[in-house]
Structure formats: C-alpha cells, structure tokens
C-alpha cells in the first residue's frame, strides 16, 4: 500500500515539475552550485581552508576588504583632526569624485556576468521565470541577493491570494442583481431621505443612491468575510514559510550563523566618539570600543528624535483632517448643485471620494519626501554602532511615519466616518460643518475607492519614477562629465570600465531601504484592509512581477556596482510584517463588524425570528432607516432646506436604529433595543474572529518548524566535521607536528601604524569575511577525502 502511495506521489511530483518546467531556470546557463562549507577566516586555523583555491577571496569579498580600508584610513598627519579619515570625507572635500567597485564588463559584450544577468534576469521578457539568485548573490552580495529572494518569495505567495480575491469579486459581479438590499434601494423612489447638509442641501430620494449601493455590493458581500478569514491564515503561512526558506537560503549562502557583533562599527560612530575615554570590550571580536555616554549623549539625542517623530506624525494627522474638511465642503457643494438632477446626485458620492483620495495621495508623496529627509538625520544623531543597527532604527522610524502617512485616512473612513453623526435635530459638527455620513449602502465603497486610488496610484507613480528617474540621472551625469572634458573624444573619455561606471548613479548602503519600504507598505494594504478591497492582492501581484525585473534592470544598468554586504536575514522587516499580520486580524474583524452591513443583516436575518420567520432580508432596508419629524423646532431653525424643490415634507428618513418621533418627547430618537443587539453581535463577532484566528495561527506556527529538518541535519553534520578536523589538527600541533597553514607567519598588517587598532580585524577571527572550507559531504569516505584535502 505504501509503495502504491509513493508511486502516486512520484507521478504527481513529476507532473508538477513538468508543468512548471517553462518557469524554471535554464541550468545550461545558470548551472547548480554545490554547497561548500565555509567559516570565519582565522590565521590560527588556516588548516581549515583551501588556501590554493583560485577563488579563495571572491570578487565581492575583495570589494568589501578594500571598502573597509578606504572608509577607515587616515589621510592627515594632524592628530587633532578627529574626522580626517575615510574616503567619504575626501569625496565631500572633492579630492575624489567617487569610489566604487567596477562592473564586470558592459551590457553589449557577451561573456561577462553582468551581460548574462542583464539578458537572463533584468529583461521583462523573463518576468515569469525564476530568478538566478545564486548569480545575483555572487555579483551583488548577500544583502542584495536576499532582497530579491524575499521579493520573489512574496510575489509567489501572492498568486493564491490573488486568485481567491478575484473569485470573491466575481461572486459579487455575478450576484449583483440578486442582492436584496441594493435592489430595495434602487426601487425606493417613495422613500425621502433627510438632507446631507444644513439648509443648503435638499431632500433626496433613496433610489438616487442606486449605483452607489450596487458598487458597494461588489466588495461587501458574503464572500468577503470568507476571504478575510482565509487571508488571516495566508499571512501566518506566508511568514512561517518565509522563515523556513530564509533558513534554507541562509545556510546555502552561509550566513545562517552570522552575528551582528562580528560587524565592524560604523566610521561615523567611531568619529563622533573619538574623545570618549571609557571603553568596552566587544564580546565577540575582543576589541575595545568606545562606550556611548547615556545621560550626556544617548538620552538627549533619543528624546529629540522621538519628539521630532511625534511632530511629523501630527502633521500627517493634520493633513487627514484637512482632507476631511475638503470632503465635507465638496459634499455640500455637490448636494446643492444636484437639487434638480437626481442622476448627478447618485454619482456625486463617487466624485467627492475619488477627488479626496487623489488629494490625499499628493499629501502622501510630499510627506514621503519630508520623512526621508528628516529620518536620515535623526538616525545619525542616535549613535548606532553598526550599519545593521542604523538601518533597523531608520526602518522602524520611517515605517512608523509612513504607516501614519499612508493609512491614517483609510483608518478614518473605516472606523470613524459616519459613526458619530447624531440625529437631524442635533447633528455632531466639526469646525461648523456636520460630520460626514455614510451613504445608505455604508462606507465600504468609499473605503474601497480610497484603497484602490492610493495603492494603484502609488504603484504606477513609483514604477514610472523608478524606470525614468535613474535613466535621466545617468544621462545627466554623462553630460556633466562631457562638459568638464570638452576636449576629449567621447569614445576615448568612456573607453575604460571605470569611466563607463563613473556616469552611473551611486548605490549606497541605504539604497535597498526604499525598495523594502515600498513592498512592506504594499503588504499592509493587502492584509490590513483586504476585507474592503479583495482584489488588492491581484494588483500587488501584477505590480511585483514587473517590479522585480525593473529593480534588476535599474540596478545592473543605471547604478554602479554596490559593495557587497553580509546579512543574516531581512532584519527588522520581518518583525514589521509579523506585527502588520497581527494588526490585520484585528482590523479586518472590525471592518466586517462595524464598517460593512454584514452583522446587521445577519442579526436581522437570524436574530428576529418572531418578526422574520422566513429568515430573509426582505424589509431589512425599511428596518434600518429611522423616521424623523421635520416640524421639530431645532430642525426648522438649523437644518431644514431653504426653498426646497420637494415642497412640504412632513417626515424624512435617516440611517440609524433610533426610536420614532411618535413616542413621548423624552423618548424620541433614542437608541433602540435592536441597536444594542446589533452592537453586541458586532463585538461578539470581533472577539470570536480574533480568537479563532489567533488559535489557528498559533497551531500553524507550532506545526511548521522554523528550520527544515534537512537543513538542521546538514548544519549538525557540518559542525561535526569541522570539530573533528580542528581536534585532529590541534592534537598534531600539540605533539609538535607542523600542520599546513600553521600561523607562525608575520601579520602583514602589523606595520600599518595609522590603522593599527583596526586593520588586524581583516585577518583575525572577528572579521565577517568568510571563505570556503570544503565541500559538504555526508559519507565517511568523502569525509576522509575532505580531511586529506586540508
């Protein structure tokens, strides 16, 4: 029986491999590379390394070594000048104009790794193919390779979410004219609604919102609840599977055990602490480093940074309030202009909400520029020891600011708009204007429009910016170089590789930050608010398919080759996505419960058995609209339309669960018992939804291990082999037998007086430059062969 099952599984796997063969890499172009075990280079244990390997130090590692020296080398004999070191300072003083590793060849000559990546990776024609991640890592370093690995993994997981979201949207399309609520609204010509603004706005017929209610149903239907639940599980599965994939690729690239303490201090950090006498010894490198004074430097700078961030957040909130005021004012204008045109009134909701979303998008891009400018300076003040710590602080700061910037207006529509309107005899006002009301179909359409315009508009603008701006800057640099060398021929001027690369844009250590931020913000849109816009994953998928190749083309065509960096994983971005996933569960529960009409409809359908024995939605609209007597004194004085085209209207309707005007005066327009029943049902749904999803996610995380068992076994095997070799070689050394690579030679860096305290890091065990040791093998015979090799 087991053999039959194995045969079936093998056939299914073969069919799957055959069906996905077109998407895979051509291994004749990008052959598979064997995993080779490596370790931190140590002169004391040179017997571990294959010193005769021609690729012992790769091109990327050589670039790191040269960059390390250039960033710390002093250039002045004046010992009182604490900042007289580093190539960056010399570039600022215009002694040098640039310093960068050279690209390997050009884009027109076959045979070079750059040309190969340009043709097989950076081409839009290859957008559906798998990425050659090993080749990307070898050329650009682990940091860049890991970004593209994560982007490809994230895009791959968007496929099932996109398909499911599209099916939910199509369900709304195919059942559009069978929806009882929207059909009741479209046939409600005899229902007169109360004015949307004071005195200047007229009454309107409920049927005037027919198109708006049908549009709402496309995104607010029964399938939306199911999709929100599934996306909560999708978020957990995606994060857990990324941890497994990250562990696998980290082991393959040998960064799984990379320690941040192996990373050298930033040169800016050392310069600012030059005069600090108190030192601490690094527990990993055993090198003395200056300790930041907490009360004199760390605390004041941190408090200043925090207060500035809070001020910037208040500016973003103020912009949202401005957009709300604009929306109220334009709603007033359109309501006045539509007095004699009911059809125009039906579209006024869409016009007002769309224009407000566009204005909000403009504010978002302005604050995006401002936040980027300020956050860099604030992070510099905070005295972070390493580049990783610097980037993590900058990431948290920028994401918090951008979270408020992008999502604040959406949170307002989802959770605050139309919730505190009041009644026609006593409306709630803001700056003299009545608070915005939701249309009879609810606020879901406006929320969906806001999401769609910000998400899609942001993606389109970013795509054009990323494709066009680097190209323009490249040609601008070329014109400046030609202008400063007018006598030189263009072919002669750009005849060498360093001159060709000089006209390209500089790629600094923070250049990947914007790429990560763009994708993680997109991740927030497709998780936090997915209940309001089910096809958001589809737009994200389409964008990312092209984003990968545009980023690749931009990096290999318009930018100088970056200095390779070693990182263990995607860093703080994983923690941010994990937090966003938890917030998404809460957000979607509240959107379904309080923004959509799902809970009121379910309570009406199943909670009023004596009034609704057939368990249908017939009469739900009538049940959800309250009556108001237009002869109320406060209404006549403050709200009643002037010169109404409807003549004398004695009773109008408004959306609320409130008591009738026929009751005694002290009981009129109060919350009804059904309102509290709906409210309790909403809270119960939120609690049940969150707890069920939380328990299921915890179960998933318990079932799915962070590291695949195969990788764990390889790591244990490699550790065992390494320890065995070390023990044998140390025993041989203890007996007086000379071993290969015995560290009795002179340190070539010991004579460098100016770099005396730092250059030994390049050869001691504290360096982060790792080199290959021997091929990872499993059999005893192969192990013996590996020992013989070293």
């Amino acid at each position: 029986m087991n053999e039959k099952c194995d045969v079936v599984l093998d056939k299914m796997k073969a069919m799957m491999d055959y069906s996905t063969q077109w998407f895979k890499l051509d291994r004749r172009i990008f052959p598979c590379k064997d995993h080779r075990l490596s370790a931190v280079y140590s002169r004391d244990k040179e017997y571990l390394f294959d010193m005769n390997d021609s690729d012992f130090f790769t091109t990327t590692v050589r670039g790191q070594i040269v960059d390390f020296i250039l960033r710390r080398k002093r250039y002045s004999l004046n010992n009182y000048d604490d900042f007289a070191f580093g190539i960056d300072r010399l570039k600022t003083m215009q002694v040098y104009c640039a310093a960068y590793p050279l690209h390997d060849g050009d884009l027109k000559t076959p045979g070079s790794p750059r040309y190969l990546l340009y043709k097989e990776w950076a081409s839009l024609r290859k957008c559906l193919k798998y990425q050659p991640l090993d080749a990307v890592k070898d050329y650009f370093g682990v940091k860049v390779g890991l970004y593209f690995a994560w982007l490809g993994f994230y895009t791959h997981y968007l496929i099932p979410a996109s398909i499911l979201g599209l099916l939910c949207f199509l369900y709304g399309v195919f059942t559009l004219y069978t929806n009882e609520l929207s059909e009741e609204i479209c046939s409600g010509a005899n229902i007169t609604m109360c004015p949307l603004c004071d005195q200047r706005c007229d009454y309107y017929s409920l049927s005037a919102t027919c198109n708006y209610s049908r549009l709402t149903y496309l995104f607010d239907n029964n399938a939306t609840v199911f999709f929100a639940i599934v996306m909560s599980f999708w978020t957990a599965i995606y994060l857990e599977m990324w941890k497994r994939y990250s562990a696998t690729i980290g082991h393959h690239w040998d960064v799984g055990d990379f320690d941040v303490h192996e990373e050298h201090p930033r040169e800016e950090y050392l310069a600012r602490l030059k005069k600090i006498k108190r030192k601490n010894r690094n527990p990993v490198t055993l090198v003395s480093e200056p300790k930041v004074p907490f009360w004199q430097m760390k605390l004041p700078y941190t408090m200043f940074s925090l207060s500035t961030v809070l001020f910037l957040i208040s500016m973003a909130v103020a912009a949202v309030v401005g957009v709300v005021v604009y929306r109220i004012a334009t709603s007033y204008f359109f309501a006045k202009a539509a007095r004699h045109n009911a059809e125009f009134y039906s579209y006024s909701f869409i016009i007002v909400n769309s224009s407000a979303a566009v204005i909000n998008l403009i504010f978002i891009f302005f604050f995006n520029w401002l936040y980027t400018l300020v956050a860099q300076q604030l992070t510099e003040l905070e005295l972070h020891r390493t580049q990783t710590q610097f980037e993590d602080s900058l990431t948290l700061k920028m994401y918090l600011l951008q979270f408020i910037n992008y999502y604040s207006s959406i949170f307002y529509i989802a959770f605050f708009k139309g919730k505190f309107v009041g009644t026609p005899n006593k409306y709630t006002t803001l700056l003299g204007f009545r608070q915005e009301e939701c249309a009879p179909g609810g606020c879901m359409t406006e929320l969906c429009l806001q999401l769609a315009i910000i998400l899609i508009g942001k993606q389109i603008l970013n795509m054009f910016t990323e494709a066009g701006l680097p190209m323009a800057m490249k040609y601008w640099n070329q014109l400046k170089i030609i202008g400063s060398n007018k006598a030189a021929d263009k072919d002669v001027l750009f005849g060498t590789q360093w001159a060709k690369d000089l006209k390209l844009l500089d790629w600094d250590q923070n250049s990947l930050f914007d790429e990560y931020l763009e994708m993680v913000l997109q991740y927030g849109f497709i998780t936090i608010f997915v209940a309001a816009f089910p096809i958001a994953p589809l737009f994200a998928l389409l964008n990312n398919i092209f984003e990968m190749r545009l980023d690749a083309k931009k990096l290999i065509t318009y930018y100088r080759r970056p200095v390779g960096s070693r990182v263990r994983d995607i860093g703080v971005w994983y923690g941010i996505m994990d937090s966003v996933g938890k917030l998404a569960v809460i957000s979607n529960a509240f959107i379904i419960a309080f923004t959509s009409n799902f809970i009121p409809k379910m309570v009406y359908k199943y909670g009023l058995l004596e009034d609704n024995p057939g368990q249908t939605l017939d009469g739900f609209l009538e049940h959800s609209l309250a009556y108001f007597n237009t002869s109320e004194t406060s209404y006549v004085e403050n709200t009643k339309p002037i010169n109404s085209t409807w003549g004398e209207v004695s009773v109008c309707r408004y959306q609320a669960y409130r008591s009738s005007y026929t009751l005694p005066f002290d009981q009129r327009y109060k919350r009804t018992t059904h309102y509290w029943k709906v409210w309790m049902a909403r809270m119960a749904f939120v609690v049940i939804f969150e707890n069920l999803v939380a328990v299921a996610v915890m179960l998933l995380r318990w079932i799915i291990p962070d590291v695949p068992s195969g990788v764990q076994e390889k790591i244990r095997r490699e550790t065992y082999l390494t320890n065995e070799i070390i023990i044998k070689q140390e025993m041989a050394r203890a007996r007086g037998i000379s071993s290969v690579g015995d560290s009795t030679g002179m340190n070539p860096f010991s004579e460098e007086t100016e770099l005396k305290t730092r250059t030994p890091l390049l050869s001691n065990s504290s360096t982060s430059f790792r080199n290959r040791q021997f091929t990872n093998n499993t059999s005893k015979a192969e192990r013996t062969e590996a020992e013989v090799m070293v």
Side-chain angles (χ1 to χ4, degrees), residues 539-575:
F539 286 104
L541 174 64
L542 296 175
N543 172 80
N544 291 2
I545 289 174
F546 295 102
E547 177 78 17
M548 275 190 293
R549 306 304 167 169
L550 288 176
D551 284 348
K553 184 175 182 179
K554 176 180 68 176
L555 185 58
I556 207 163
T557 306
Y558 302 119
Y559 280 89
R560 296 165 187 159
R561 187 174 182 175
V563 177
S565 300
R566 289 180 59 81
V567 292
R568 183 173 184 174
D569 48 33
I570 61 174
V572 73
W573 293 111
Y574 178 85

Side-chain angles (χ1 to χ4, degrees), residues 590-619:
F590 274 92
I591 287 176
I592 294 171
F594 288 92
T595 307
S596 73
N597 276 325
F598 176 76
I599 299 299
K601 287 190 291 186
M602 292 300 102
V603 172
Y604 179 83
K605 190 173 182 179
Y606 300 108
L608 300 174
L609 298 180
E610 65 280 1
D611 298 332
N612 186 19
Q615 296 187 358
T616 65
L617 289 177
D618 293 339

Side-chain angles (χ1 to χ4, degrees), residues 50 200 216 231 351 377 381 405 440 553 632 673 682 713 783:
D50 184 7
R200 300 296 179 183
T216 299
M231 284 300 292
I351 296 173
Q377 301 301 321
L381 289 176
N405 190 25
K553 184 175 182 179
E632 296 279 351
T673 305
R682 283 171 164 164
E713 292 173 358
R783 175 189 160 195

Side-chain angles (χ1 to χ4, degrees), residues 307-444:
S307 59
T308 306
V309 169
L310 292 176
F311 174 72
L312 293 174
I313 289 175
S314 65
M315 290 179 61
V317 174
V320 174
V321 174
V323 173
V324 171
V325 172
Y326 161 82
R327 194 155 36 212
I328 294 173
T330 50
S331 298
Y332 167 82
F333 168 77
F334 278 110
K336 181 180 177 181
R339 277 175 171 251
H340 305 286
N341 190 339
E343 185 69 19
F344 177 74
Y345 188 82
S346 179
Y347 290 101
S348 64
F349 288 100
I350 301 175
I351 296 173
V352 171
N353 296 332
S354 300
S355 61
V358 171
I359 294 174
N360 188 65
L361 183 63
I362 295 172
F363 274 120
I364 285 172
F365 275 91
F366 168 74
F367 283 117
N368 188 17
W369 168 81
L370 179 63
Y371 293 161
T372 303
L373 184 67
V374 175
Q376 289 271 4
Q377 301 301 321
L378 292 178
T379 310
E380 285 288 355
L381 289 176
E382 293 172 359
L383 291 170
H384 295 288
R385 175 184 171 273
T386 65
Q387 184 65 26
T388 299
Q389 294 170 345
F390 177 88
E391 291 176 1
D392 287 350
S393 177
L394 178 64
T395 298
L396 288 173
K397 200 178 288 90
M398 277 295 295
Y399 186 79
L400 176 61
L401 293 170
Q402 296 291 20
F403 185 92
I404 302 297
N405 190 25
Y406 277 92
Y407 302 145
S408 54
S409 62
I410 302 174
F411 272 105
Y412 163 75
I413 296 172
F415 304 121
F416 297 101
K417 182 178 178 180
K419 302 299 187 293
F420 312 100
V421 176
T423 59
N425 64 325
K426 190 178 180 180
Y427 282 114
T428 305
T429 59
L430 174 66
L431 302 177
F433 292 97
R434 278 168 47 182
Q435 197 202 53
E436 293 182 284
E437 297 180 45
C438 295
C443 283
M444 285 292 282

Side-chain angles (χ1 to χ4, degrees), residues 16 20 23 128-131 148-163 234 238 241 245 540-541 544-545 548:
M16 183 63 68
T20 59
F23 301 99
L128 299 180
K129 294 278 190 179
Y130 289 176
Q131 299 183 94
F148 282 101
W150 170 77
L151 181 57
F153 183 87
Y154 167 54
T155 303
H156 179 77
Y157 265 73
L158 282 175
I159 296 174
S162 303
I163 295 173
W234 175 90
Y238 154 70
M241 296 308 292
Y245 182 72
L541 174 64
N544 291 2
I545 289 174
M548 275 190 293

Side-chain angles (χ1 to χ4, degrees), residues 215 350 353-354 357 444-454:
L215 182 61
I350 301 175
N353 296 332
S354 300
M444 285 292 282
T445 297
E446 183 177 346
L447 180 60
C448 176
L449 286 173
Q450 188 84 359
L451 279 166
I453 290 175
I454 293 178

Side-chain angles (χ1 to χ4, degrees), residues 722-743:
T722 304
N723 291 336
E724 284 287 298
I725 296 173
I726 292 175
I727 290 172
K728 289 185 177 182
Q729 292 292 338
E730 292 298 329
M731 289 177 63
R733 179 182 295 182
R735 296 189 184 104
I737 302 174
S738 178
S739 60
V740 178
D742 194 3
S743 59

Side-chain angles (χ1 to χ4, degrees), residues 236-286:
I237 293 172
Y238 154 70
L239 291 174
E240 288 302 306
M241 296 308 292
W242 164 249
K243 281 198 294 187
R244 290 172 59 83
Y245 182 72
S246 178
T248 302
I249 201 170
H251 172 261
H252 181 63
W253 291 348
D254 196 46
V255 293
D257 58 346
F258 178 71
D259 191 340
V260 68
H261 290 288
E262 295 178 18
E263 193 173 355
H264 302 289
R266 301 171 66 240
E267 55 271 18
E268 296 87 353
Y269 170 86
L270 294 174
R272 292 184 60 192
L273 300 178
K274 179 75 173 180
K275 297 181 179 180
I276 300 300
K277 296 182 179 180
R278 188 173 181 180
K279 307 287 184 179
N280 276 349
R281 175 165 289 191
N282 188 299
V284 175
T285 64
L286 302 181

